[in-house]
Structures are given as structure tokens and as C-alpha cells.
Amino acid sequence: ENEGTTFIIKIPLSNAKVEKQEVVFMTDKYQGKVLVADDEPDLREILELLLTEKRCEVQSVSNGQEAYDLYIQNPENFDLIITDMQMPKMGGIDLIKALRSNTKIKQPKVAVITGCIYKPFEDKNLKQVLDNSLK
């Protein structure tokens, strides 16, 4: 109440049968520092909101090069990187390759998201990523 409401509506682009999706509300709390790299501002905002609600500290950037530069400045500032696969300048796969080839830094946990129009941002999927990375 008095905080606003956000609705996300997914409209299929074809006549293919759409299966009912299960909604799971996350009640777990995480304390971690997450770097989000995605070129879609709305998606970054949604991820920031979801992660902040789970008590994660979040920084976000718009491409893999920015994520790489920010991470190598101080690897201890992040417990997890969530990156889109396709972005301008440097995509998620190239980001991971650059991080893995830099043997002088702490190697981060990385979750890659993709899906073009549909990205897996149901609470249950994000919960699984956080369970595997921050608990």
C-alpha cells in the first residue's frame, strides 16, 4: 500500500501453446554483493529491485566491458556477477573469458542470462541462482 505496483505481462509472439507458469515468492534473505551487466535498462532496474529486496548490494552496468573494468578494480566488492549473454562492446561469454584469463584476480561466480525477449526472471529462477551463489 502506498508504494506502487508493477505488473509484468508476457504476450506470446505466436499461437503456440503457453504453459501455465508457477509463481514462487522468495522469502529467503541473502547478504551478498552482486554486479549486474545488461544492456536493457528496464531489465537492470527489475533485477536491481528484486536483488535489493533480498538484501543484496547491487551495482549495475550496461555492458560486459564496464562489468570487467569495475570487477578488476576491486574483485572483493562482488560475490556474484549476473550478466546478459548478448550486449554491445562485450557480451557475457567474452566477459567470462576475460575474467577467467586474468589469473591475478579472485575468480567470481557468474550467472548468465539470455533469452532475447523472454528472460528467466521468475522468483524461483533467481532464488536458485542466489542459493547456489550466496548462501
Side-chain angles (χ1 to χ4, degrees):
E1 187 174 80
N2 297 325
E3 292 185 20
T5 302
T6 301
F7 293 94
I8 299 173
I9 301 171
K10 293 182 180 180
I11 301 172
L13 297 178
S14 71
N15 291 330
K17 182 180 176 183
V18 178
E19 295 180 21
K20 181 180 175 185
Q21 294 187 356
E22 176 184 351
V23 176
V24 177
F25 293 97
M26 288 177 58
T27 55
D28 292 341
K29 299 293 183 185
Y30 303 87
Q31 293 184 0
K33 299 171 189 171
V34 182
L35 174 57
V36 173
D38 198 299
D39 58 324
E40 297 178 41
D42 291 341
L43 198 52
R44 282 195 312 268
E45 186 177 328
I46 290 168
L47 263 176
E48 287 174 15
L49 177 65
L50 290 172
L51 291 165
T52 301
E53 285 176 353
K54 307 310 172 219
R55 294 194 312 197
C56 293
E57 293 179 38
V58 184
Q59 280 189 268
S60 62
V61 294
S62 62
N63 63 63
Q65 185 64 57
E66 290 176 5
Y68 179 80
D69 294 341
L70 187 58
Y71 186 84
I72 64 168
Q73 287 174 14
N74 196 342
E76 299 304 320
N77 281 351
F78 302 101
D79 301 307
L80 171 66
I81 297 174
I82 299 177
T83 181
D84 187 10
M85 185 169 314
Q86 297 179 358
M87 294 178 285
K89 296 187 182 176
M90 180 187 283
I93 300 302
D94 290 333
L95 169 61
I96 293 168
K97 288 178 182 177
L99 290 167
R100 297 296 183 244
S101 68
N102 189 336
T103 58
K104 296 179 182 179
I105 59 171
K106 172 188 93 168
Q107 291 299 306
K109 295 179 182 179
V110 180
V112 178
I113 55 175
T114 190
C116 299
I117 6 185
Y118 300 113
K119 292 198 178 170
F121 278 48
E122 295 175 19
D123 272 347
K124 66 180 180 179
N125 295 348
L126 188 56
K127 179 183 182 334
Q128 183 179 9
V129 168
L130 296 177
D131 281 345
N132 291 331
S133 302
L134 300 180
K135 276 195 166 179

